[in-house]
């Protein structure tokens, strides 16, 4: 089974500054035949269900602010919030959907305001 | 509007059972891959089970043999039958649709979740 590991577990960033979250998979999630990385990112605020932010590692879901971007390929991925806003305080998860089930999530990264 | 509404959670003793429901609106459950994902208190997300549009089902090892996913097409509703519950099953249970609607299995949308507490 593919294991997803995020780093750091938490980070504190000043408002307006950049936040960077890393996600590493135990095996490649790049499907060679279509050159797509089977990796999604979610945001979860307290008391709410997760919200899809990004799929195919870098495709922003409709309605997601442009300050959120995803990058990476193979086994190493990054979610970047270019200019942190107060409403971005949340826990962020990566998820692979490359393999047959089970589909794994990272352990989560908590983003706070410094 | 696409919406998922879970129900059926509650407090149950170890060894007991519960059946969770997820009522869908705005789309047809049977035409989509539908999953259950859970979140233990203060913990991360754990995928639990999926039912494909062809009826195939898959389970996490942690629930295999104890949980059963199913759907009622006439009610456009997804279910999770949970038997032989253990304390470690305590979590908020979310239902979610395959966001791609074509089998690529990122999750969108999600329901609001239903709390399951297993305790004596």
């Amino acid at each position: 089974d593919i294991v997803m590991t995020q780093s750091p577990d938490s980070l504190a960033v000043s408002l307006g500054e950049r936040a960077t979250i890393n996600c590493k998979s135990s095996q490649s999630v790049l499907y060679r035949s279509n050159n797509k990385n089977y990796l999604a990112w979610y945001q979860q605020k307290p008391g709410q269900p997760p919200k899809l932010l990004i799929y195919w590692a870098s495709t922003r879901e409709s309605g997601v602010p442009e300050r959120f971007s995803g990058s990476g390929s193979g086994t190493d991925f990054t979610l970047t919030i270019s200019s942190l806003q107060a409403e971005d305080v949340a826990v962020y998860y990566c998820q692979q959907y490359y393999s047959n089930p089970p589909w794994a999530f990272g352990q989560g990264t908590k983003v706070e305001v410094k | 509007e696409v919406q998922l509404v879970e129900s059926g959670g509650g407090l149950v003793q170890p060894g007991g059972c519960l059946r969770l429901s997820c009522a869908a609106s705005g789309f047809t459950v049977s035409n989509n891959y539908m999953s259950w994902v859970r979140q233990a208190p203060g913990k991360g997300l754990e995928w639990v089970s999926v039912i494909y549009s062809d009826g195939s089902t898959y389970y996490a090892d942690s629930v295999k043999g104890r949980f059963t996913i199913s759907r009622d097409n006439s009610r456009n509703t997804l279910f999770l039958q949970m038997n032989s519950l253990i304390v470690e099953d305590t979590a908020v249970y979310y239902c979610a649709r395959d966001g791609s609607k074509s089998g690529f299995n990122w999750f969108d949308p999600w329901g609001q979740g239903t709390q399951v507490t297993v305790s004596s």
Side-chain angles (χ1 to χ4, degrees):
Chain A
D1 296 349
I2 298 176
V3 176
M4 309 300 290
T5 304
Q6 292 180 227
S7 63
D9 289 333
S10 65
L11 74 160
V13 176
S14 300
L15 292 175
E17 295 300 305
R18 179 186 300 261
T20 302
I21 300 168
N22 301 302
C23 174
K24 189 174 184 68
S25 58
S26 60
Q27 64 188 73
S28 176
V29 297
L30 172 64
Y31 197 48
R32 296 289 182 184
S33 65
N34 61 9
N35 200 35
K36 287 183 179 291
N37 287 283
Y38 285 46
L39 191 285
W41 288 96
Y42 302 87
Q43 175 194 63
Q44 187 178 32
K45 297 180 180 180
Q48 296 184 19
K51 172 189 173 184
L52 175 69
L53 294 177
I54 286 170
Y55 54 94
W56 295 133
S58 61
T59 301
R60 205 179 298 112
E61 172 70 341
S62 176
V64 172
E66 291 185 3
R67 63 182 180 272
F68 291 92
S69 64
S71 62
S73 185
T75 61
D76 293 281
F77 300 90
T78 300
L79 175 69
T80 301
I81 309 172
S82 60
S83 176
L84 189 76
Q85 306 299 302
E87 61 265 32
D88 300 335
V89 168
V91 179
Y92 293 84
Y93 296 93
C94 61
Q95 177 233 335
Q96 67 82 13
Y97 48 95
Y98 176 86
S99 63
N100 288 326
W103 297 303
F105 293 88
Q107 80 276 18
T109 296
K110 186 175 185 178
V111 174
E112 299 173 307
V113 174
K114 185 187 294 183
Chain B
E1 180 191 4
V2 173
Q3 192 174 15
L4 296 167
V5 178
E6 301 96 335
S7 60
L11 173 63
V12 62
Q13 292 187 338
C17 59
L18 277 177
R19 189 175 83 151
L20 306 183
S21 300
C22 171
S25 56
F27 71 99
T28 302
V29 164
S30 61
N31 291 342
N32 288 270
Y33 292 9
M34 297 293 299
S35 282
W36 289 96
V37 177
R38 69 183 180 183
Q39 186 168 36
K43 302 298 183 182
L45 301 169
E46 179 188 17
W47 174 82
V48 172
S49 181
V50 64
I51 184 166
Y52 287 174
S53 51
D54 68 359
S56 302
T57 59
Y58 297 87
Y59 300 92
D61 286 345
S62 57
V63 306
K64 200 172 296 182
R66 301 188 299 120
F67 289 11
T68 303
I69 191 171
S70 63
R71 66 190 180 213
D72 183 330
N73 297 344
S74 66
R75 295 166 57 186
N76 207 33
T77 299
L78 178 73
F79 300 101
L80 186 68
Q81 177 68 44
M82 305 186 297
N83 298 333
S84 303
L85 284 160
I86 60 178
V87 171
E88 291 75 20
D89 295 321
T90 295
V92 174
Y93 285 73
Y94 298 101
C95 62
R97 185 186 70 178
D98 161 23
S100 74
K101 294 175 283 186
S102 54
F104 292 108
N105 292 295
W106 60 81
F107 302 116
D108 181 66
W110 298 62
Q112 284 297 312
T114 187
Q115 175 70 50
V116 172
T117 302
V118 184
S119 175
S120 55

